[in-house]
Amino acid sequence: KKQFVLYFQPKVQLLDNNIIGVEALVRWLHPVEGLLGPNMFIDIIEQSMFVHEFTRYVLLNAIIQCRTWLDSGIELPIAVNISPYNLMDSDLVSFISDLLVHYKVPASLIEIELTENASMVNIEKTQEVFTQLKKLGVKLSIDDFGTGMSSLSYIKHLDVDYIKIDRSFIIDVVTDKKDEAVISSLLVLCKKLNKLTIAEGVETIEQANKLTNLGCDLAQGYLYSKPLPVEEITKLLIARKRNNSR
């Protein structure tokens, strides 16, 4: 019934607040309950027989949106989260490849995010699928980095483009020296391994300034924008494009 819709949250460069991409976030436009966040349905879907179909639905809509924006002169990468269960979908990579060809969308405009979760993900299987995606030219990132016990294994063994530092480290980075030390160490490590870093959940200018001083590349959070429906994010992108062309 197409009740699942995509909202989009910008990712920005910390130095100049320039939007360099968006993350697609799923909402359920429920006919009775209204707009529902993912915490109301994602766990149920991941434990159902529909997990592959759901992710394919999200990927299809993200790639169609990417094509729509390209037709409007907006070239912007879209990040899509996949479930660890999707790594068991043997046709996932070919499905993405076929969509990119059909809609004539450059692979570099699609980014696949996988949440770091040591209890659910087999790192060898992740490595296998990520290698195939990398050959397509798709961008890759590890989401919620630092929350699982396998962090260092992930960053060592997986050839990803982005590391997203979990919001739990960002909340008190201005006041908590321990959080600052953890983030600073992660940033040094990522830089040595040529990974770009994205700070999740940035809500204040003080957090943004601290992260900039520590050497973080990119940020995402309510300081810049809440997740927006496609009409609103498109207006924002068009306005930014006009301002940048002046």
Side-chain angles (χ1 to χ4, degrees):
K1 297 181 180 179
K2 298 184 179 180
Q3 292 175 5
F4 290 114
V5 296
L6 298 188
Y7 274 48
F8 298 90
Q9 188 173 35
K11 300 177 184 179
V12 305
Q13 287 180 325
L14 273 165
L15 287 174
D16 57 14
N17 290 349
N18 188 39
I19 297 175
I20 53 85
V22 294
E23 179 179 359
L25 300 162
V26 187
R27 301 290 184 265
W28 185 357
L29 199 54
H30 195 283
V32 177
E33 303 295 336
L35 195 68
L36 301 178
N39 59 309
M40 299 293 288
F41 56 84
I42 287 294
D43 286 347
I44 300 171
I45 289 173
E46 286 192 332
Q47 296 171 41
S48 76
M49 67 181 73
F50 301 109
V51 62
H52 296 337
E53 184 180 350
F54 175 79
T55 298
R56 290 182 178 212
Y57 173 87
V58 174
L59 284 163
L60 169 63
N61 282 275
I63 289 173
I64 288 174
Q65 186 56 55
C66 204
R67 179 70 260 167
T68 302
W69 279 338
L70 284 169
D71 292 340
S72 303
I74 299 170
E75 185 173 330
L76 196 71
I78 298 178
V80 176
N81 292 280
I82 68 170
S83 163
Y85 296 110
N86 295 134
L87 298 174
M88 301 300 124
D89 181 357
S90 59
D91 295 323
L92 177 66
V93 177
S94 60
F95 175 78
I96 294 172
S97 178
D98 290 345
L99 286 180
L100 293 173
V101 171
H102 180 76
Y103 290 101
K104 296 181 173 62
V105 170
S108 59
L109 293 184
I110 297 300
E111 178 187 330
I112 299 298
E113 290 189 8
L114 182 68
T115 300
E116 185 220 335
N117 190 318
S119 65
M120 294 171 68
V121 179
N122 180 307
I123 197 163
E124 287 78 18
K125 185 62 179 177
T126 307
Q127 195 170 20
E128 176 189 331
V129 176
F130 272 26
T131 298
Q132 295 171 7
L133 289 169
K134 200 75 173 175
K135 287 179 180 176
L136 281 185
V138 168
K139 300 294 185 183
L140 302 170
S141 71
I142 296 299
D143 197 9
D144 300 338
F145 188 76
T147 56
M149 297 301 290
S150 60
S151 296
L152 294 179
S153 291
Y154 268 106
I155 201 171
K156 177 182 176 182
H157 294 292
L158 297 180
D159 184 17
V160 299
D161 301 282
Y162 302 100
I163 299 292
K164 299 186 74 175
I165 301 174
D166 188 68
R167 66 180 65 242
S168 61
F169 297 107
I170 308 301
I171 295 171
D172 297 318
V173 66
V174 177
T175 56
D176 191 324
K177 291 296 183 183
K178 292 180 181 178
D179 280 341
E180 179 180 341
V182 169
I183 292 175
S184 182
S185 299
L186 284 176
L187 293 173
V188 170
L189 181 61
C190 289
K191 201 168 290 289
K192 285 184 178 292
L193 294 173
N194 295 315
K195 317 290 186 191
L196 289 173
T197 48
I198 303 174
E200 297 184 282
V202 178
E203 297 185 355
T204 69
I205 191 66
E206 290 80 14
Q207 290 171 338
N209 289 339
K210 171 66 75 172
L211 290 163
T212 302
N213 292 335
L214 290 175
C216 189
D217 306 294
L218 309 167
Q220 183 178 348
Y222 275 42
L223 175 62
Y224 309 102
S225 174
K226 64 180 182 180
L228 299 171
V230 65
E231 298 82 6
E232 290 185 34
I233 190 70
T234 301
K235 288 179 183 176
L236 175 62
L237 295 173
I238 290 172
R240 289 285 186 112
K241 185 179 178 184
R242 285 173 180 165
N243 289 335
N244 290 339
S245 62
R246 288 175 183 172

